[in-house]
Amino acid sequence: MIKNTFKIDIILKCGAYLIDKEDVNIDVMIDRAKIACQTIETNYKSKVAFYDDKIRISILHEKEIENNMDNALLNKEFVVYLQPKINLITEEVVGAEALVRWIHPIKGTIPPNDFIPLFEKNGFIEKLDLYVWDNIFSTMSKWIKNGIKPQPISINVSRIHLNNRNIVASLKSLINKHNIPAHLIELELTESLFLSNISMILDILNDLHDIGFIVSMDDFGSGYSSLSLLKKLPIDVLKIDREFLNETITSVRGEKVIKNIITLGKDLDMLIVAEGIETEGQLNLLKNAGCDIGQGFYFARPMDIESFEKLVFKRINF
Ligand code: C2E
Ligand code: CA
Ligand code: CA
């Protein structure tokens, strides 16, 4: 008889709560130790975590955001900004990416990285993204009604939306509501999204693609880039990650990698977009490598819709 042997790696992690005051209920102490333990998931440097003030403050901060988020949405504190995308040959604006900002009445402008991860955890991102999409489609519809050739706009699609098929119906009904052709909307999905549940995601993406939406793989090169995914998924646009570009400029090998990614993407009939262009050096490297479109502070920062209209359409009153 053949004996199968398996090698299983077990990683133990432990959360601890130091009892300094005895007036805390034992259940609360255990909960705090569990909360400390959960913080290890994103930071594997240590296998033990103690509940401390930093954790308590971050939880209080999260609670505060959670208490305010619904009202903030009602009060229209979430504002959609647009960052132009530029054709690297003609240097014309050929579209934009929609990026949300939280304009808080007291705290001022809060960047998305400070609230999107929490909204992905608590599910609020579904509501917020629908709000952002509705907002941007309504703006595009206004452009069309005013006889202006609309710019294609990219929207960020959080991985949470791809846990079920509702996204197909939601996006379809939103473009119908505003009468926007699907091919003017590019859906930006991050590559880490494709790590799980690949068959359902493939179905959803094929449906969205069949409706006419453009599918873009965002942050390509940032982490788990799987070349086999490029073969399997209906991807029209490859968006090269900004971090990747930063390293490239300093190394010949890096430059070769970026050139070959662009060649591969083009061979697969994909449009190549580079994000995070900050310097002329980066721009020239990308141009030489055959990159089609660029986005970055070198050209323009994300701006409110009025500023975008002024810059691109030379109009302010719609
Ligand atoms: P992302 O999709 O990778 O968006 C690009 C980010 O790079 C934006 O940050 C943009 O402001 C920034 N950026 C653009 N050009 C440059 C540059 O030249 N240099 C540098 N250093 N940065 C540049 P932002 O607006 O802070 O957004 C951060 C992330 O939050 C986005 O990353 C996206 O993943 C997420 N996000 C933003 N808006 C939304 C939204 O409406 N829905 C969802 N689900 N996610 C969003
Ligand atoms: Ca994006
Ligand atoms: Ca990106």
Side-chain angles (χ1 to χ4, degrees), residues 78-143:
F78 293 102
V79 177
V80 184
Y81 273 41
L82 289 173
Q83 186 179 31
K85 289 189 186 178
I86 315 288
N87 176 319
L88 294 188
I89 307 296
T90 64
E91 300 216 347
E92 280 170 338
V93 177
V94 287
E97 176 175 7
L99 295 158
V100 72
R101 302 282 179 267
W102 184 348
I103 316 283
H104 194 280
I106 296 161
K107 293 179 186 155
T109 304
I110 309 176
N113 285 338
D114 286 5
F115 54 85
I116 296 237
L118 173 64
F119 291 173
E120 287 184 332
K121 218 162 54 174
N122 66 21
F124 189 70
I125 193 70
E126 294 200 57
K127 267 195 204 169
L128 177 61
D129 273 350
L130 283 179
Y131 174 82
V132 168
W133 303 343
D134 192 49
N135 211 288
I136 206 70
F137 296 172
S138 129
T139 302
M140 294 170 83
S141 146
K142 182 186 72 179
W143 292 341

Side-chain angles (χ1 to χ4, degrees), residues 97 156 188 190 218-220 239-242 275 295:
E97 176 175 7
N156 287 287
E188 294 197 4
T190 54
D218 200 358
D219 302 337
F220 187 75
K239 212 168 171 195
I240 301 171
D241 189 58
R242 141 174 119 236
E275 67 178 351
Q295 182 185 341

Side-chain angles (χ1 to χ4, degrees), residues 24-66:
V24 178
N25 186 301
I26 185 84
D27 291 333
V28 174
M29 292 180 188
I30 293 172
D31 279 348
R32 288 182 175 176
K34 279 187 189 158
I35 290 168
C37 193
Q38 282 160 15
T39 64
I40 300 175
E41 247 144 26
T42 46
N43 173 14
Y44 257 102
K45 270 180 252 158
S46 162
K47 310 275 183 290
V48 182
F50 284 86
Y51 184 88
D52 61 12
D53 250 15
K54 235 168 76 194
I55 296 180
R56 195 177 59 85
I57 289 166
S58 122
I59 289 168
L60 286 178
H61 180 64
E62 287 192 353
K63 282 255 150 36
E64 196 200 334
I65 294 183
E66 285 185 329

